[in-house]
Amino acid sequence: MHPRPDDNRIKIAPSILSADLSRLAEQVREVEAAGADRIHFDVMDGRFVPNITFGPVLAKWLRPATPLPIEAHLMIASPDDFLDAFAEAGADTLIVHVEGATHLNRTIQRIKALGLKAGVALNPATPAVMLEEILPDLDLVLAMTVNPGFGGQSFLPGTLKKIRAIRRMIDEVRPDCELEVDGGIDAETAPQVVEAGARVLVAGSSIYGAADGPAAGMDRLARSLGL
Ligand code: DX5
Ligand code: ZN
């Protein structure tokens, strides 16, 4: 089910943060049919970020609704306390913020011991160099292209330079590690982040907020990338 890590194809990860959660299964099937590669699941606790969303209970309901991998983006203050719960709920990848993890190495080792893929996210103001020691252990780096907490924010163009820096680090140290971006990704910004080196694009409002529906939103993204 997982794509090969060395697969250089551009992948799209719709974020259900912007979906109609009253019909979650249907909304997920729509992006699945339109070629989504994985489902991005934004967990917020009202402490690490100024918003609250959902947690392991909803992940458990999502799990049987799709064969696609589920990646949980943990925007929470104490990620260590919830790793096991997300594993039990059926998540495939857990992404923790470098800014929210005190013992990041231990957290990453725990995610791997649970048999899951491990990712680290960086806020826009956090420099790429924060990855230096942990990168050899990672399956994924998530560069935030907005400040986390809400869907529908504008892409921060200043993050492009960091995406390039992370791409260089990954190519040098751990070429199998995926480079994902999250926030304000639409048909205009997608080509810019891909040019900078991103290979996995999270998109919420440009897919689920599309007036003509999520499949049309996915199609616009794909066409902007010549896919
Ligand atoms: C923001 C979340 C994102 C969000 C992106 O804190 O991490 O995943 O869903 O939404 P858009 O694509 O609307 O910026
Ligand atoms: Zn996210």
Side-chain angles (χ1 to χ4, degrees):
M1 190 191 295
H2 292 293
R4 291 192 347 266
D6 61 345
D7 180 354
N8 208 33
R9 200 170 47 88
I10 307 299
K11 301 181 184 74
I12 298 189
S15 165
I16 60 156
L17 181 63
S18 301
D20 176 351
L21 294 181
S22 71
R23 42 189 196 92
L24 176 59
E26 189 187 322
Q27 291 261 278
V28 166
R29 276 194 296 272
E30 283 182 63
V31 295
E32 198 182 302
D37 293 278
R38 61 188 73 173
I39 300 297
H40 187 83
F41 189 88
D42 285 307
V43 183
M44 305 186 190
D45 67 349
R47 290 178 63 208
F48 182 72
V49 288
N51 196 7
I52 299 178
T53 55
F54 33 70
V57 173
L58 190 69
K60 200 172 167 187
W61 281 100
L62 174 62
R63 180 64 290 172
T66 177
L68 293 178
I70 298 171
E71 59 179 24
H73 176 194
L74 304 183
M75 290 163 275
I76 61 179
S78 306
D80 292 1
D81 295 345
F82 297 95
L83 304 177
D84 293 48
F86 280 104
E88 277 161 33
D92 298 272
T93 302
L94 298 185
I95 304 167
V96 295
H97 269 261
V98 65
E99 305 86 1
T102 314
H103 301 287
L104 186 60
N105 185 283
R106 179 183 291 148
T107 304
I108 295 303
Q109 300 313 331
R110 180 64 192 154
I111 294 171
K112 291 173 139 187
L114 288 165
L116 307 186
K117 292 193 176 191
V120 159
L122 300 181
N123 282 337
T126 304
V129 70
M130 292 300 285
L131 293 167
E132 196 170 312
E133 304 302 328
I134 198 70
L135 186 55
D137 296 319
L138 298 182
D139 299 302
L140 180 148
V141 171
L142 176 63
M144 292 305 300
T145 42
V146 299
N147 288 296
F150 302 93
Q153 302 181 82
S154 297
F155 176 79
L156 296 169
T159 57
L160 286 168
K161 182 167 162 266
K162 187 168 67 179
I163 296 167
R164 287 196 185 92
I166 298 173
R167 167 49 59 199
R168 281 194 297 273
M169 290 171 78
I170 287 179
D171 286 349
E172 197 175 312
V173 177
R174 179 143 167 77
D176 282 353
C177 182
E178 295 188 300
L179 177 47
E180 182 173 52
V181 291
D182 184 5
I185 303 301
D186 57 20
E188 189 185 328
T189 56
Q192 300 174 36
V193 291
V194 168
E195 190 276 323
R199 291 292 175 271
V200 188
L201 313 185
V202 176
S205 43
S206 68
I207 293 178
Y208 283 115
D212 43 1
M218 289 263 313
D219 193 51
R220 260 192 299 281
L221 270 184
R223 275 190 284 116
S224 78
L225 297 167
L227 303 176

